[in-house]
Amino acid sequence: MKTLIISNFRTGSWHIHNTFSELGSLPLGELFYNLNNTIEENINQYKFNDNVVAKLHPSQLVEKRKSAILRLCYQICEVADNIVYTQRQDTKQQVISYAVALIQFNKADKTPWLENRKVYKEELSNEYLDEIFKRLETNQLLIEEIYKKFPGEAITLEKDLDQTPYPNKYNYKGDWNVPYNFKMLGEEI
C-alpha cells in the first residue's frame, strides 16, 4: 500500500511515518526534502514501489508558485492508496517547537528523538515567532486546499497520539500570542 502523510511541521508526522515503516512499508521520509536524493527521485521511488510510506510538506517547494505546488501534490495524491493528515490543536506550541527546531537544525544528528540536541535556552523574539507562524500558515493553507480535493484520515497530535515530548523540550516563557489557531481538518474547512 502506498501511504502518504500530508502534514504541517511539528504535528507528529514522523511518528506516523515510522509506525508504517515498522509495519513493513519502505520509508522514504520527506518527498520534497531529502538530503540523499532529488525530489524527482523521491517521487519516482514513491510511485514505483507498492508498499511505501512518505511525508509531504507542500511548502518545502519554496521556489514554485502555489499553483505548481498544488499540481505536483495532486499528482502524488492520485497514486496514493492511503492519505493520512497529521495536525496539531495547539498552534502556539507548534510555532514555538518549529522555531526552536529550525534554530537547532543539524542534519548530522540521526539520534532517535534528537536526544543529543541540547536544550535551547535563549528567548525567542515575538518578531521571529511571527515569521515562523507565517511559514507554517503558508503550509497550512496549501494542506487545506489538498484536503478539499483528497480528503483522508486526520490525526490530531494532542488527541490521537501518545504524548512523548522530546527529552530536550524547550520551555517558552515569553508573551507572544498566536494570531489564530489553524483549522482542524475534518471540521468544516
Side-chain angles (χ1 to χ4, degrees):
M1 175 177 356
K2 293 182 195 308
T3 298
L4 185 62
I5 302 161
I6 301 175
S7 68
N8 213 329
F9 303 96
R10 315 309 284 181
T11 61
S13 60
W14 276 112
H15 174 75
I16 302 299
H17 177 275
N18 293 343
T19 299
F20 276 98
S21 174
E22 290 166 7
L23 295 172
S25 294
L26 173 68
L28 295 183
E30 297 172 358
L31 289 178
F32 296 159
Y33 183 80
N34 185 313
L35 300 173
N36 301 319
N37 302 318
T38 66
I39 291 171
E40 186 176 321
E41 289 170 330
N42 292 338
I43 293 170
N44 284 334
Q45 268 197 308
Y46 183 77
K47 285 181 178 178
F48 298 114
N49 280 287
D50 291 330
N51 191 19
V52 64
V53 61
K55 291 178 31 161
L56 188 65
H57 297 302
S59 67
Q60 285 179 322
L61 290 174
V62 292
E63 70 281 354
K64 297 200 180 285
R65 295 188 320 183
K66 178 182 174 182
S67 60
I69 292 169
L70 288 172
R71 192 169 33 258
L72 183 55
C73 290
Y74 293 160
Q75 289 171 359
I76 297 166
C77 288
E78 286 170 354
V79 300
D81 300 312
N82 180 32
I83 299 176
V84 177
Y85 293 84
T86 61
Q87 59 190 353
R88 193 161 178 176
Q89 286 177 318
D90 191 340
T91 302
K92 181 176 181 174
Q93 285 304 313
Q94 181 180 359
V95 170
I96 292 165
S97 178
Y98 188 50
V100 171
L102 288 175
I103 290 169
Q104 293 190 305
F105 179 72
N106 175 0
K107 66 182 175 184
D109 187 356
K110 305 286 187 222
T111 60
W113 289 97
L114 303 174
E115 58 196 19
N116 289 343
R117 183 176 69 188
K118 298 197 181 332
V119 174
Y120 185 71
K121 295 184 180 182
E122 303 297 317
E123 272 306 311
L124 299 170
S125 73
N126 290 354
E127 294 79 16
Y128 180 60
L129 292 171
D130 285 338
E131 176 188 324
I132 297 304
F133 175 83
K134 288 177 186 163
R135 288 175 74 170
L136 290 171
E137 180 183 46
T138 297
N139 204 37
Q140 182 67 26
L141 294 173
L142 289 165
I143 291 166
E144 289 174 14
E145 288 295 316
I146 296 167
Y147 184 82
K148 288 176 189 173
K149 189 166 175 125
F150 294 94
E153 178 184 9
I155 296 173
T156 303
L157 175 69
E158 294 88 347
K159 290 189 329 186
D160 302 320
L161 300 177
D162 290 335
Q163 290 293 296
T164 310
Y166 286 95
N168 40 22
K169 185 176 184 269
Y170 175 68
N171 185 19
Y172 178 69
K173 296 178 181 134
D175 62 357
W176 180 78
N177 287 308
V178 67
Y180 66 91
N181 284 313
F182 296 141
K183 293 177 184 176
M184 294 286 96
L185 302 175
E187 299 174 9
E188 301 233 8
I189 291 185

